[in-house]
Amino acid sequence: MSLGNYVHRESPIHRMPAGSKVLILVIGGTALFLVPDLLIMITILAATIVLYRVARIPMGIMVAQVRPIVWIFVLIFVFQLFTRDVAFAGMVVSRFVALLLLASLVTLTTPASEMIDAIERRIGWMRVIGVNPAKISLGLSLALRFIPVVAKITSEVREAQRARGLEWSVIAVALPVIIRTLKMADDVANAIDARGYDP
Amino acid sequence: MSTKDIVYIALFAAVTAAVGLFPPFPLPVTGVPISVQSIGPLLAGTILGARRGFLSQLLFVVLVAVGLPLLAGGRGGFGVFLGPSAGYLLAWPLIALFVGYMVERYWRNLTLLKTIAFSLIGALGISNLMGIPWMAALLGLNLVEAAISSLAFVPGDIAKAILASFIAMAVRCSYPIIEREKAPAT
């Protein structure tokens, strides 16, 4: 799947199973809150940057993960500076940056399709609480398939409404799109049932 | 849950994603983007009802979490859930649940005004109830400051609630989804 934030490289981090990466992220992320110490936090931040080197993610992409919310870090830093001290402010911000970079690293090194496979392999237990895992899988794959379809139908309807001068009327575009896609959904559901789908 | 339910759920997760293709406007200072995308949970709730609406938005959140760049502006992945707008995003399934429940409950004598009222409670009430405390906690603001900074969303939210209600009422007339269960086929 080409869609996604995934950056393909050959690295041990890319080869790790998706489930393990998420588990490590959750445990590591929680652990970050247990060490309120500036020095340790900066070490962890440095280690995170090393992990990006190991995953062979270019520096530019790493910086791009943080850039959109740099001003938040500034805001938090200034705020903590006034309420606590420099060491604490530095600790809070470096913890936040480390956390964000770690979370992004998982996303950058795992294709979305692999992540979905990992989810599908782990939802078998849900049968116990009356949820059919096969239906969740069907929902996930259908949603992925529908995104380009909905986008295509939207552009078709806009083209049709342009002929009527209604290209920019939100309702004149949205309504036909919704009704056409609902009809399509009915056809898809009937087609699935007609093929004897019974998970 | 029938195949049709699953297909509808997947469809509205996809519709929410498709709406995200319209570019967002990031707000200065707080950086939470104003986008038309938050109309997704309102449409899902008002058109599909509580259960399917909720699940469709939950599915959308899962797709964002696995790393697909489906949020307006092409954002996605775990990092989003650490950002300032995570509270608003996580409110989407609950908005769809609430709006869907109310619409189903008053389905027989639903009016445009009622639908707008339910949508407003969802888009303004539930959304901010989750979004503001999250933003406040993250930025170290107090709740009042965070609430003031979120005032900029209010006009857009009102517009989206009205728009979603118009669409939902039109769909209710021409291609109702909820009704089929309310009036079992004889």
Side-chain angles (χ1 to χ4, degrees):
Chain A
M1 188 188 309
S2 59
L3 186 69
N5 294 324
Y6 174 66
V7 177
H8 185 72
R9 291 286 184 279
E10 283 298 326
S11 87
I13 298 180
H14 283 75
R15 280 193 293 273
M16 254 169 95
S20 323
K21 277 188 267 196
V22 174
L23 193 67
I24 293 173
L25 175 66
V26 171
I27 295 173
T30 314
L32 282 184
F33 283 90
L34 303 177
V35 278
D37 180 86
L38 177 63
L39 217 60
I40 297 177
M41 211 50 82
I42 289 179
T43 316
I44 292 174
L45 185 56
T48 309
I49 294 170
V50 170
L51 283 178
Y52 270 77
R53 302 295 299 172
V54 174
R56 296 163 70 185
I57 304 281
M59 276 294 169
I61 293 182
M62 185 181 85
V63 173
Q65 305 305 313
V66 186
R67 196 184 293 131
I69 49 176
V70 154
W71 59 268
I72 294 185
F73 298 136
V74 177
L75 217 69
I76 294 176
F77 188 82
V78 172
F79 185 80
Q80 298 294 352
L81 204 59
F82 281 116
T83 47
R84 300 286 287 270
D85 52 86
V86 184
F88 189 77
M91 191 277 292
V92 170
V93 170
S94 44
R95 175 168 67 195
F96 202 177
V97 177
L99 206 55
L100 188 73
L101 283 178
L102 282 174
S104 302
L105 185 64
V106 174
T107 303
L108 288 169
T109 59
T110 318
S113 52
E114 207 174 291
M115 204 73 94
I116 290 172
D117 288 345
I119 293 175
E120 289 176 347
R121 276 196 307 272
R122 280 172 183 76
I123 52 179
W125 58 271
M126 283 186 152
R127 205 177 285 279
V128 182
I129 55 167
V131 180
N132 190 335
K135 292 187 172 180
I136 300 179
S137 293
L138 178 67
L140 278 167
S141 10
L142 277 177
L144 289 173
R145 181 65 193 94
F146 280 158
I147 294 168
V149 175
V150 174
K152 184 167 172 286
I153 290 180
T154 307
S155 72
E156 279 173 18
V157 170
R158 276 189 74 174
E159 206 169 300
Q161 299 295 40
R162 188 179 302 147
R164 303 176 175 87
L166 292 172
E167 188 192 356
W168 295 104
S169 159
V170 182
I171 293 201
V173 174
L175 202 53
V177 169
I178 299 270
I179 291 175
R180 268 186 65 181
T181 53
L182 281 173
K183 282 186 174 159
M184 175 204 70
D186 286 340
D187 291 342
V188 170
N190 287 334
I192 293 172
D193 283 336
R195 281 160 180 76
Y197 177 76
D198 184 24
Chain B
M1 193 174 292
S2 73
T3 309
K4 202 155 267 186
D5 291 331
I6 298 168
V7 179
Y8 287 150
I9 289 165
L11 175 66
F12 271 78
V15 166
T16 308
V19 179
L21 298 173
F22 294 96
F25 317 91
L27 276 188
V29 188
T30 54
V32 181
I34 295 190
S35 78
V36 275
Q37 203 167 22
S38 53
I39 202 172
L42 297 175
L43 289 174
T46 49
I47 294 173
L48 295 185
R51 189 173 140 89
R52 288 173 301 199
F54 171 79
L55 290 172
S56 76
Q57 296 308 298
L58 192 65
L59 179 56
F60 177 77
V61 171
V62 169
L63 292 176
V64 170
V66 299
L68 296 173
L70 299 180
L71 288 175
R75 292 168 310 126
F78 286 115
V80 169
F81 295 90
L82 299 170
S85 54
Y88 292 104
L89 176 61
L90 292 174
W92 288 7
L94 296 179
I95 294 172
L97 183 71
F98 169 80
V99 176
Y101 174 78
M102 296 310 277
V103 165
E104 280 183 53
R105 202 193 135 120
Y106 293 97
W107 183 257
R108 291 260 175 256
N109 37 25
L110 197 65
T111 59
L112 179 64
L113 275 180
K114 278 185 202 167
T115 315
I116 292 176
F118 302 149
S119 302
L120 281 176
I121 297 173
L124 290 175
I126 299 174
S127 170
N128 284 316
L129 220 55
M130 289 181 67
I132 291 176
W134 176 270
M135 194 163 71
L138 196 74
L139 304 185
L141 301 168
N142 67 40
L143 285 177
V144 178
E145 291 161 344
I148 291 171
S149 75
S150 73
L151 280 179
F153 297 116
V154 171
D157 284 340
I158 294 174
K160 276 174 264 181
I162 295 173
L163 197 60
S165 304
F166 267 104
I167 296 171
M169 290 308 285
V171 173
R172 179 177 180 269
C173 291
S174 53
Y175 205 77
I177 302 297
I178 293 172
E179 184 134 278
R180 295 185 199 165
E181 289 100 63
K182 295 275 165 189
T186 47

